[in-house]
Amino acid sequence: MAKQKKKGQAGQAKNYITRTQAVRKLQISLPDFRRLCIFKGIYPREPRNIKKASKSATHSTTFYYTKDIQYLLHEPLLQKFREQNALSKKIARSLGRNEVQDAVRLEKYAMPKIKLDHIVRERYPTFVDALRDLDDALSLLFLFANLPSTSAVPAKVIARCQRLCHEFEHYLITTHSLRKSFLSIKGIYYQATIQGQDIMWLVPYKFVQRITQDVDYRIMGTFVEFYCTLLGFVNYRLYTSIGLVYPPKFDVASDERGAELSAFTLEGHRVAGAIEQKEDEQKTLTNGDGQVQNSETLQAQINKIAQEADVEDDTKQDEVPEEQADSGTIDTFVPAAPEGDTLPQPDLSGDEAGTLFSNFTFFISREAPRHPIEFLLRAFGCKRIGWDPVLGDGAFTHDETDPRITHQVVDRPALAQALPAVQGQETPNDQKLQVVKPGYIIPGRVYVQPQWIWDCVNEGKLLRTDLYAPGATLPPHLSPWIRPTSGQYDPRATLEEQEPAGEADEDAGDDEAEGEVSASEGEDEEDESGEEDEAVDAGDMDVAGSEDESAEEEVDGFSGFDDAEDASDVSSDLDDEAQHQKELEAEASGRPVPVAHSKEEARKAKAIKARQTAQSKKEEEIERQKMMMSNKKRKLFEKMQHSNNKRDSEAEKLRAKRRKLEKAGKTKA
């Protein structure tokens, strides 16, 4: 007889374990279990059959893989959690005895520190794996970098997130790895390409953030703790790969004055090595004369090395490989047919991105968002950026009237007045700055709105600045990651490029018909009242046409069996007689005389009728083809046809709306 299987020892009951059982097996508290699972990347699982997976009578809602929990039994962090719990009991005991100093000493010096280095190496065995998982890390760290400090979010965590994010931005600026950006309601989306991996993250706007109580910041703080370690590893690897020292020098005083990106100083390994050698030699020297002489020689060597490094960088930037010089720009994909889908174009290279704004000097007005504009401009080659002193320290210039400025980013109404005599303003450094009053412009300078920078970055080229002038209606700012397919409405293209043949004529005809219907409603009421009066006056007398007249109309209406030209002549004569008859009737009844349709309107009506006939023939052909299909293929084809018709109707509505707006704009102009 075969051995019988006991319940709960095989199948789903063995593969899954509840959260309560996992906490008891690991012998830790529930908050520590949550932290450990977040660090190790272990998440709850949903079994196929909850009744079979649950070993208890009560309904359990959270399950984990038994192998994942078995894997956590050998985690070194379990011992750290147990030591922290033991120390917490000692601190509580000291506070209960009113030994405050002992409690502070234990919390400051005896608390075991948790390191997550080994977990980062376990979860990301290769550097490419870390880059692929960097989207969520950057989004969360940039979010915490913009939060205000509270008891749930300490100031140290915010400062650490800000520093790591700025270090990552400096790498993107140095390597020109940033590719696209988009302004949305949620925030600013960025996309960078690092070692062939596309990384996208979201940065919130710098508004006043409200800390709500319905968010568990302990869980988010656990993710932030792990992501800070991960981003530190990634930044170190990225900096060392391009020959920079990590971490870069950070000026705390400059950061407190609002320098942000300018508070960091990047150094190469050669210059840093020379500086360290200088410091070591200065420590070992004891003679004052020899110390001064050695320091000067070392300083000369350091300056020489720095100059050589700059010259090498300049030569590398100036030199163009023969293959690249022969090939020119990146090839673009052109659709083979006008009805074909728009293929995604290749992104910019680092050299092209580094020269987009390299020849310009920008000045950021105080109402414009400084940090995102500065980051974009520096990432795409701009070296000289100035801004108002109110926005912080670290600008190329704070003087708005500096003649070197070529472009100024403003977000104000239209500026039309020339600059009057400027006034000086005292600054803390006893420097007089030229102040420009609002509403005045400086001749010889280009004024643009901030959207011009984003659109130039997404298009990969410099766009027309007159479309982004202060006070101008801006072009549509669309997502650079969504490309319109054939049949969809494209706000970037003109109506003539995307509307079908004759759609504008049909829309105009519908508008005219609506206008005629609305205008003729009042006339119909007057006609009815007039006809009633005539009927009362006529009494029983017959006011209809006589039999002779009707016979004449029948004779005139017969076109005979002549040629086509005779038929067209007869039809035109009939139209003229009918128009003349309508004018006589309208004059007799006191109504306005109807205007005859012009030849252009007749041609449009004829074209519309021809298109409707062709459309009806096409629909009939499709119906005949559907009759030859199987049921499965016919249903699939109907679904496709329904989605295509829905897409076409939506695009037609948007085009009609745009056509009306353009027409209204032309009438106002």
Side-chain angles (χ1 to χ4, degrees):
M1 183 176 179
K3 186 178 180 180
Q4 295 182 355
K5 294 182 180 180
K6 294 184 179 180
K7 185 178 180 181
Q9 293 184 358
Q12 296 191 36
K14 184 180 180 181
N15 295 335
Y16 294 93
I17 186 174
T18 62
R19 187 179 64 181
T20 304
Q21 293 171 350
V23 170
R24 291 177 181 175
K25 191 171 187 178
L26 296 175
Q27 296 181 2
I28 56 177
S29 61
L30 182 59
D32 291 340
F33 176 74
R34 288 174 178 168
R35 291 185 63 194
L36 185 60
C37 290
I38 291 173
F39 290 154
K40 300 290 289 186
I42 297 175
Y43 300 97
R45 308 291 180 175
E46 185 177 358
R48 296 179 181 178
N49 194 335
I50 298 178
K51 293 183 179 180
K52 292 182 179 180
S54 180
K55 301 177 185 178
S56 59
T58 59
H59 180 66
S60 302
T61 56
T62 307
F63 293 89
Y64 293 87
Y65 282 143
T66 306
K67 291 184 178 180
D68 291 342
I69 304 303
Q70 194 75 20
Y71 173 68
L72 293 178
L73 288 173
H74 307 285
E75 176 58 40
L77 289 180
L78 288 176
Q79 184 62 28
K80 294 290 184 180
F81 289 157
R82 296 188 182 107
E83 292 177 1
Q84 286 183 351
N85 292 333
L87 188 63
S88 299
K89 293 179 181 179
K90 291 181 181 180
I91 293 174
R93 189 183 303 113
S94 298
L95 292 176
R97 296 174 180 174
N98 202 12
E99 299 174 356
V100 181
Q101 295 182 355
D102 293 342
V104 172
R105 177 180 54 82
L106 290 173
E107 186 177 2
K108 188 175 182 180
Y109 298 104
M111 182 65 70
K113 296 182 180 179
I114 296 177
K115 293 185 178 181
L116 307 176
D117 302 349
H118 65 285
I119 297 181
V120 173
R121 297 191 189 97
E122 289 177 3
R123 292 184 61 177
Y124 308 106
T126 62
F127 186 63
V128 176
D129 296 334
L131 292 178
R132 290 172 181 170
D133 200 22
L134 206 59
D135 299 349
D136 296 337
L138 289 174
S139 299
L140 188 60
L141 292 182
F142 273 99
L143 172 63
F144 267 70
N146 293 321
L147 289 179
S149 60
T150 59
S151 58
V153 186
K156 292 182 179 179
V157 176
I158 297 174
R160 187 183 179 188
C161 293
Q162 290 177 352
R163 184 167 180 177
L164 289 172
C165 293
H166 288 159
E167 290 173 357
F168 182 74
E169 289 179 344
H170 266 294
Y171 170 79
L172 299 179
I173 292 172
T174 306
T175 58
H176 305 295
S177 301
L178 194 65
R179 291 294 174 264
K180 297 176 182 178
S181 181
F182 175 61
L183 299 169
S184 68
I185 298 176
K186 298 180 180 179
I188 305 175
Y189 285 92
Y190 295 98
Q191 183 184 8
T193 303
I194 301 175
Q195 297 185 8
Q197 302 296 325
D198 292 335
I199 302 171
M200 185 187 299
W201 68 97
L202 176 64
V203 179
Y205 296 110
K206 290 193 174 182
F207 298 145
V208 178
Q209 304 289 341
R210 295 182 179 180
I211 304 299
T212 58
Q213 300 298 329
D214 55 348
V215 178
D216 193 352
Y217 287 95
R218 294 178 301 173
I219 297 178
M220 296 181 66
T222 305
F223 278 100
V224 168
E225 185 179 358
F226 175 74
Y227 286 151
C228 284
T229 307
L230 172 62
L231 188 57
F233 271 82
V234 172
N235 286 345
Y236 172 78
R237 181 69 178 270
L238 294 176
Y239 271 65
T240 55
S241 64
I242 60 175
L244 295 178
V245 177
Y246 185 82
K249 284 190 175 181
F250 178 65
D251 191 355
V252 180
S254 180
D255 184 68
E256 291 177 354
R257 293 193 297 267
E260 294 183 350
L261 290 175
S262 301
F264 293 84
T265 304
L266 303 183
E267 295 179 350
H269 283 294
R270 297 181 62 185
V271 178
I275 294 174
E276 291 177 358
Q277 183 180 0
K278 172 190 172 184
E279 294 177 353
D280 294 339
E281 292 185 3
Q282 285 181 352
K283 291 179 181 178
T284 56
L285 291 175
T286 55
N287 190 0
D289 298 336
Q291 182 178 0
V292 174
Q293 184 178 1
N294 291 334
S295 63
E296 291 178 355
T297 55
L298 286 175
Q299 185 63 34
Q301 294 177 2
I302 293 169
N303 296 335
K304 184 177 179 182
I305 293 172
Q307 292 177 0
E308 291 178 356
D310 295 339
V311 170
E312 289 179 0
D313 294 339
D314 295 339
T315 54
K316 288 181 180 179
Q317 293 178 358
D318 295 338
E319 291 178 357
V320 180
E322 295 180 359
E323 297 178 357
Q324 185 176 357
D326 296 338
S327 61
T329 58
I330 299 177
D331 296 336
T332 57
F333 300 116
V334 180
E339 297 84 5
D341 295 339
T342 303
L343 299 176
Q345 303 298 332
D347 294 333
L348 293 174
S349 62
D351 296 336
E352 293 177 353
T355 58
L356 187 61
F357 300 122
S358 59
N359 298 328
F360 304 140
T361 301
F362 284 84
F363 188 86
I364 305 174
S365 301
R366 66 178 65 188
E367 73 277 359
R370 176 207 143 187
H371 180 75
I373 294 177
E374 180 192 2
F375 173 53
L376 274 180
L377 292 176
R378 292 189 185 277
F380 284 85
C382 185
K383 303 295 183 183
R384 301 175 299 274
I385 305 174
W387 53 76
D388 195 272
V390 179
L391 299 178
D393 196 8
F396 170 72
T397 178
H398 292 297
D399 187 6
E400 190 174 351
T401 61
D402 195 329
R404 294 172 294 181
I405 299 173
T406 59
H407 292 70
Q408 184 166 350
V409 183
V410 297
D411 196 5
R412 304 173 182 172
L415 308 175
Q417 300 180 3
L419 180 66
V422 295
Q423 301 176 356
Q425 179 183 2
E426 297 292 336
T427 60
N429 297 330
D430 297 334
Q431 298 177 356
K432 289 188 177 180
L433 297 179
Q434 307 269 334
V435 179
V436 179
K437 296 181 179 179
Y440 294 95
I441 62 174
I442 299 177
R445 183 179 300 180
V446 179
Y447 287 83
V448 292
Q449 299 189 43
Q451 184 181 330
W452 179 75
I453 300 174
W454 269 267
D455 290 348
C456 289
V457 167
N458 295 333
E459 293 294 334
K461 61 182 180 180
L462 297 176
L463 302 177
R464 293 171 50 187
T465 55
D466 56 338
L467 301 177
Y468 301 85
T473 302
L474 295 173
H477 181 62
L478 305 177
S479 174
W481 298 285
I482 299 177
R483 297 297 180 184
T485 58
S486 60
Q488 286 186 344
Y489 172 71
D490 187 7
R492 297 186 181 92
T494 60
L495 287 174
E496 292 78 6
E497 295 177 357
Q498 55 183 327
E499 64 183 2
E503 184 182 83
D505 299 338
E506 294 178 2
D507 194 6
D510 295 341
D511 295 340
E512 292 177 0
E514 290 178 1
E516 292 177 358
V517 169
S518 60
S520 61
E521 286 179 354
E523 298 176 0
D524 294 340
E525 295 177 358
E526 295 177 359
D527 295 342
E528 291 176 358
S529 60
E531 289 175 359
E532 289 177 359
D533 297 337
E534 291 178 359
V536 171
D537 296 338
D540 297 333
M541 185 174 59
D542 185 11
V543 294
S546 61
E547 295 179 357
D548 299 336
E549 293 177 355
S550 60
E552 291 177 359
E553 290 178 357
E554 291 178 358
V555 171
D556 294 337
F558 179 71
S559 59
F561 300 99
D562 297 335
D563 296 335
E565 295 180 358
D566 299 337
S568 60
D569 295 338
V570 172
S571 62
S572 61
D573 295 339
L574 290 175
D575 294 338
D576 295 339
E577 292 179 2
Q579 179 66 24
H580 182 64
Q581 183 67 23
K582 290 181 180 179
E583 291 178 358
L584 292 176
E585 293 177 357
E587 186 176 358
S589 61
R591 292 180 298 174
V593 179
V595 182
H597 294 286
S598 62
K599 294 182 179 179
E600 183 67 21
E601 293 178 353
R603 184 187 63 80
K604 290 182 180 179
K606 188 176 181 181
I608 292 173
K609 188 175 182 180
R611 284 193 295 270
Q612 290 177 353
T613 305
Q615 182 67 21
S616 62
K617 290 182 179 179
K618 185 178 179 181
E619 292 177 356
E620 291 177 359
E621 182 65 23
I622 291 175
E623 290 296 331
R624 283 195 295 269
Q625 292 178 358
K626 286 169 61 177
M627 293 174 62
M628 304 299 294
M629 297 181 183
S630 61
N631 292 334
K632 185 177 181 181
K633 291 184 179 180
R634 184 169 61 253
K635 290 180 180 179
L636 181 61
F637 179 76
E638 289 176 354
K639 289 181 180 180
M640 295 170 58
Q641 198 173 12
H642 174 72
S643 60
N644 292 338
N645 293 336
K646 185 178 180 181
R647 180 196 61 191
D648 295 340
S649 61
E650 292 177 356
E652 185 178 356
K653 290 179 182 178
L654 292 173
R655 286 194 296 267
K657 185 177 180 181
R658 180 176 175 181
R659 196 178 295 108
K660 290 180 180 179
L661 292 174
E662 291 181 356
K663 187 177 180 181
K666 290 180 181 179
T667 54
K668 289 181 181 180

Coordinates of all heavy atoms in Angstrom, one line a residue, residues 534-535 538-546:
E534 N -53.1 84.4 -46.7 CA -53.5 84.2 -48.1 C -54.6 83.2 -48.2 O -55.5 83.4 -49.0 CB -52.3 83.8 -48.9 CG -51.2 84.9 -49.1 CD -50.0 84.4 -49.9 OE1 -50.1 83.2 -50.3 OE2 -49.1 85.2 -50.1
A535 N -54.5 82.2 -47.4 CA -55.6 81.2 -47.5 C -56.9 81.8 -47.0 O -58.0 81.5 -47.6 CB -55.2 80.0 -46.6
A538 N -58.1 84.0 -49.9 CA -58.5 83.3 -51.1 C -59.9 82.6 -51.0 O -60.6 82.3 -51.9 CB -57.5 82.3 -51.6
G539 N -60.2 82.2 -49.8 CA -61.4 81.4 -49.5 C -61.3 80.1 -50.1 O -60.4 79.3 -50.0
D540 N -62.4 79.7 -50.9 CA -62.4 78.4 -51.5 C -61.7 78.3 -52.9 O -61.7 77.3 -53.5 CB -63.9 77.9 -51.7 CG -64.6 77.8 -50.4 OD1 -63.8 77.6 -49.4 OD2 -65.8 78.0 -50.3
M541 N -61.2 79.5 -53.3 CA -60.6 79.5 -54.7 C -59.3 78.7 -54.7 O -58.5 78.7 -53.7 CB -60.3 81.0 -55.0 CG -59.8 81.1 -56.5 SD -59.6 82.8 -56.9 CE -58.5 83.4 -55.7
D542 N -59.1 77.9 -55.8 CA -57.9 77.1 -55.9 C -56.7 78.0 -56.4 O -56.8 78.7 -57.4 CB -58.1 76.0 -57.0 CG -57.0 75.1 -57.1 OD1 -56.1 75.1 -56.2 OD2 -57.0 74.2 -58.0
V543 N -55.7 78.1 -55.5 CA -54.5 78.9 -55.8 C -53.4 78.1 -56.4 O -52.3 78.6 -56.7 CB -54.0 79.6 -54.6 CG1 -55.1 80.6 -54.1 CG2 -53.6 78.6 -53.5
A544 N -53.6 76.8 -56.6 CA -52.5 76.0 -57.2 C -52.4 76.2 -58.7 O -53.3 76.8 -59.3 CB -52.8 74.5 -56.9
G545 N -51.3 75.7 -59.3 CA -51.1 75.9 -60.7 C -52.2 75.2 -61.6 O -52.8 74.2 -61.2
S546 N -52.4 75.7 -62.8 CA -53.4 75.1 -63.6 C -52.9 73.9 -64.3 O -51.7 73.6 -64.2 CB -53.9 76.1 -64.7 OG -52.8 76.5 -65.5

